[in-house]
């Protein structure tokens, strides 16, 4: 596991001298913490959040209603990635990333039920080929929260033939792009979708109904299973240029929350933590067991939760963040939690990929440390025997953060929304040095105070 490359303390590779801003360290030499060969180092986006002008999906009208987007913005042109994807992929490549995760906008590919828009099909082939041309591994998400208007009008996931429609769409993607996609994500964060769209009602279709929530949960499970089988049906048995079978890797991205009782001595808080973990983190895998080739983990949230029996509107709990470091969106930052999330999900004995991890931090004061600290945890999870194959930072560029609008800035690369100029943040170079080294150069541990002279 350990490489032989020695890192001189304070020696950045990227040419950006971010370490000079940190306190001096005692001079010492140390090995780079090497990750396994072939580890995927990338970043992630989704179509509606970056492309712009996705006017044929359920979010487009939803955004216009007063109060739906907290800062009053609309996705609108987003980051114009629909046109500027080459520029963005050039940046990712220059930052030494060797993989990229992105999603297909279903409403573009299938604008009317059963009708494929071949111009859009060609467009996405060009996008995916642009990644391959840069030598990057491709992770493709089929559904990342937005639904075509025709599908939403039929009742979305509640409609009688939702499963068949999703299976048809995903089979089409597999047939069109099977030669170019390395990892398939059928759906992004189904549990977050259920909470936001059918629990809190803050995403379309804006429903607050436990019964309908359970109904959609079952539809999502069945749709994932159908999509999983469809991708394998279309692609299994393919061989590569060397004549060897190409593995077909299909999974979901699951938002894993690490829960902790707010009142350590409280039995009821402890029971609720157990229940919340099972319901939110594991339920989907239990009901779709056998339909995952890997586990995709998105890690953002550490909830110190307090059971509140009378607050049905808050699903019986409160999340506390007092005295904790938080992001620009007020979410608690707990980088060590990614270790717990990985260990918890390793119970399924499947390869794990961190398909998202990131922080809203516009001035970038925290992101470099958060990246280094989280990756140190990933490194230790690998050392403890977990088969972790990659890490995708959320996000490559700032983008439209759903009901929060453009206020949450998650990008390694900052976007000026007036000019659309892309400017890598300091953290982009820190992450670039990690990607380039296929490990954590020891000098970067200074972001966490290691070896620093105080
Ligand atoms: O922006 C989202 C993304 O769409 C799904 N995972 C979490 C991100 C940050 O909230």
């Amino acid at each position: 596991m350990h490489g032989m490359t020695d890192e001189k303390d304070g020696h950045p590779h990227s040419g950006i001298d971010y370490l000079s801003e940190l306190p001096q360290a005692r001079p010492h030499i140390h090995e780079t913490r090497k990750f396994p060969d072939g580890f995927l180092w990338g970043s992630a986006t989704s179509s509606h959040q970056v492309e712009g002008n996705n006017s044929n999906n359920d979010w487009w009208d939803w955004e216009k209603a007063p109060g739906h987007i907290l800062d009053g913005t609309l996705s609108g042109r987003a980051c114009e990635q629909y046109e500027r994807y080459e520029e963005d992929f050039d940046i990712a490549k220059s930052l030494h990333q060797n993989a990229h995760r992105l999603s297909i906008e279903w409403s573009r590919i299938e604008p009317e039920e059963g009708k494929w828009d071949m111009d859009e099909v060609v467009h996405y082939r060009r996008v995916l080929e642009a990644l391959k041309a840069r030598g990057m591994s491709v992770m493709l998400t089929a559904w990342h929260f937005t639904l075509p208007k025709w599908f939403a009008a039929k009742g979305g996931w509640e409609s009688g033939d939702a499963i068949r429609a999703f299976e048809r769409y995903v089979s089409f993607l597999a047939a069109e792009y099977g030669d170019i996609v390395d990892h398939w994500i059928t759906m992004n964060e189904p549990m977050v979708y259920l909470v936001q769209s059918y629990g809190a009602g803050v995403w379309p279709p804006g429903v607050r109904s436990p019964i309908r929530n359970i109904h959609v949960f079952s539809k999502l499970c069945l749709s994932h299973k159908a999509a999983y089988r469809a991708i394998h049906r279309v692609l299994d048995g393919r061989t590569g240029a060397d004549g060897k079978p190409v593995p077909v890797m299909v999974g979901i991205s699951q938002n894993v929350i690490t829960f902790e009782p707010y009142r350590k001595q409280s039995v009821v808080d402890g029971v609720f933590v157990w229940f919340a973990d099972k319901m939110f983190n594991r339920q989907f895998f239990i009901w779709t067991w056998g339909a995952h080739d890997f586990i995709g983990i998105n890690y953002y949230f550490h909830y110190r939760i307090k059971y509140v029996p009378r607050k049905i509107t808050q699903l019986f709990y409160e999340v506390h963040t007092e005295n904790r470091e938080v992001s620009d969106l007020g979410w608690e930052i707990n980088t060590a939690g990614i270790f717990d999330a990985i260990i918890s999900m390793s119970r399924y004995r499947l390869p794990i990929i961190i398909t998202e991890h990131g922080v809203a931090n516009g001035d970038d004061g925290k992101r470099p440390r958060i990246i280094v600290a989280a990756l140190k945890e990933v490194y230790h999870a690998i050392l403890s025997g977990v088969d972790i194959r990659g890490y995708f930072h959320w996000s490559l560029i700032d983008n439209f953060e759903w009901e929060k609008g453009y206020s949450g800035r998650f990008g390694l690369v900052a976007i000026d929304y007036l000019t659309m100029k892309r400017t890598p943040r300091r953290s982009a170079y820190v992450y670039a040095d990690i990607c380039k080294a296929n490990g954590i150069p020891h000098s970067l541990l200074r972001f966490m105070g290691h070896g620093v002279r105080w």
Side-chain angles (χ1 to χ4, degrees):
M1 178 73 64
H2 281 102
M4 296 312 292
T5 332
D6 282 338
E7 291 300 326
K8 255 196 138 152
D9 200 46
H11 173 68
H13 302 274
S14 61
I16 309 296
D17 191 10
Y18 47 75
L19 289 175
S20 65
E21 298 161 23
L22 296 175
Q24 285 302 305
R26 286 184 302 279
H28 60 292
I29 305 281
H30 212 300
E31 280 178 344
T32 289
R33 269 88 184 97
K34 281 281 180 191
F35 279 59
D37 288 345
F39 195 81
L40 299 174
W41 294 105
S43 52
T45 62
S46 87
S47 55
H48 191 70
Q49 294 179 271
V50 298
E51 281 181 352
N53 296 317
N54 277 322
S55 57
N56 197 23
N57 69 29
D58 57 346
W59 268 84
W60 192 256
D61 293 338
W62 174 264
E63 291 164 21
K64 292 186 190 134
H68 280 177
I69 309 299
L70 299 177
D71 65 3
T73 54
L74 302 172
S75 62
R77 298 188 299 154
C79 311
E80 291 185 350
Q81 201 194 59
Y82 187 82
E83 292 82 19
R84 295 169 183 258
Y85 62 91
E86 301 238 31
E87 182 185 347
D88 289 342
F89 298 166
D90 279 342
I91 294 172
K93 178 74 185 165
S94 74
L95 294 170
H96 301 290
Q97 297 178 22
N98 63 16
H100 190 67
R101 175 177 170 225
L102 74 174
S103 75
I104 295 270
E105 177 61 33
W106 185 359
S107 64
R108 286 189 188 268
I109 291 269
E110 192 179 359
E112 290 173 51
E113 184 169 9
K115 293 204 177 131
W116 311 110
D117 182 330
M118 293 317 285
D119 290 340
E120 296 289 5
V121 172
V122 170
H123 166 80
Y124 281 115
R125 173 156 275 281
R126 286 203 192 104
V127 171
L128 301 178
E129 279 176 353
L131 287 169
K132 282 284 158 186
R134 286 160 181 77
M136 298 170 86
S137 181
V138 175
M139 178 178 281
L140 190 69
T141 311
W143 174 60
H144 195 119
F145 297 153
T146 53
L147 297 173
K149 279 185 177 164
W150 62 262
F151 185 81
K154 288 173 68 160
W157 294 106
E158 294 175 277
S159 98
D161 65 358
I163 302 166
R164 194 190 50 81
F166 189 62
E167 182 182 7
R168 182 183 56 204
Y169 161 62
V170 174
S171 306
F172 183 81
L173 295 186
E176 287 292 331
Y177 306 127
D179 57 326
I180 214 163
V181 172
D182 301 291
H183 288 88
W184 294 89
I185 304 279
T186 59
M187 39 183 75
N188 181 70
E189 298 178 351
M191 300 308 292
V192 171
Y193 177 77
L194 284 164
V195 169
Q196 300 290 72
S197 295
Y198 288 88
V202 296
W203 288 2
V207 172
R208 292 182 186 193
S209 157
I211 301 289
R212 289 172 70 182
N213 194 314
I214 292 168
H215 180 210
V216 174
F217 172 78
S218 70
K219 292 301 262 304
L220 291 178
C221 290
L222 293 170
S223 299
H224 164 71
K225 287 212 279 194
Y228 175 90
R229 283 193 299 264
I231 296 171
H232 276 284
R233 198 166 47 239
V234 175
L235 296 176
D236 276 354
R238 292 203 174 186
T239 50
D242 55 2
K244 292 191 183 144
V246 178
V248 179
M249 298 294 280
V250 186
I252 65 159
S253 283
Q254 169 75 349
N255 190 308
V256 177
I257 300 178
T258 47
F259 295 99
E260 181 190 333
Y262 177 64
R263 298 166 293 195
K264 297 281 174 290
Q265 313 306 332
S266 160
V267 173
V268 71
D269 283 6
V271 168
F272 199 82
V273 160
W274 175 85
F275 182 71
D277 174 54
K278 185 148 182 132
M279 293 305 287
F280 190 84
N281 294 331
R282 297 193 278 116
Q283 198 68 225
F284 195 90
F285 292 102
I286 292 168
W287 288 95
T288 57
W289 192 239
H292 300 267
D293 300 315
F294 64 95
I295 305 278
I297 296 178
N298 294 357
Y299 186 69
Y300 296 91
F301 298 111
H302 177 68
Y303 282 5
R304 293 182 306 133
I305 57 177
K306 186 171 169 186
Y307 177 68
V308 187
R310 280 177 299 280
K311 287 208 173 169
I312 189 166
T313 50
Q314 285 180 242
L315 304 171
F316 304 110
Y317 68 84
E318 280 173 356
V319 177
H320 288 256
T321 55
E322 60 267 34
N323 305 321
R324 299 294 166 121
E325 185 183 23
V326 294
S327 74
D328 295 352
L329 295 179
W331 301 354
E332 182 183 332
I333 294 169
N334 177 30
T335 48
I338 199 168
F339 182 85
D340 299 331
I342 292 168
I343 297 300
S344 171
M345 300 312 277
S346 70
R347 77 185 69 201
Y348 299 119
R349 309 223 167 275
L350 287 171
I352 285 178
I353 300 179
I354 308 302
T355 45
E356 287 181 30
H357 168 252
V359 61
N361 181 215
D363 69 11
D364 208 42
K366 297 173 179 167
R367 191 178 288 102
R369 171 173 46 85
I370 288 166
I371 290 175
V372 174
L375 286 171
K376 189 175 89 45
E377 299 298 332
V378 174
Y379 172 78
H380 282 110
I382 295 172
L383 281 192
S384 65
V386 185
D387 178 7
I388 307 178
R389 307 261 173 107
Y391 170 90
F392 290 76
H393 192 79
W394 183 273
S395 176
L396 175 61
I397 51 181
D398 287 338
N399 57 53
F400 180 71
E401 178 56 22
W402 307 112
E403 85 283 7
K404 308 275 193 316
Y406 286 101
S407 307
R409 290 191 173 250
F410 282 88
L412 292 166
V413 177
I415 300 277
D416 176 334
Y417 289 111
L418 288 177
T419 62
M420 293 294 164
K421 186 169 183 305
R422 277 84 166 130
T423 309
R425 295 190 163 102
R426 192 173 63 130
S427 53
Y429 297 110
V430 172
Y431 184 49
D433 281 344
I434 294 171
C435 300
K436 187 174 178 192
N438 190 32
I440 309 172
H442 181 253
S443 55
L444 297 196
L445 298 181
R446 264 169 75 190
F447 278 109
M448 299 165 64
H450 174 75
V452 161
R453 279 189 230 261
W454 297 104

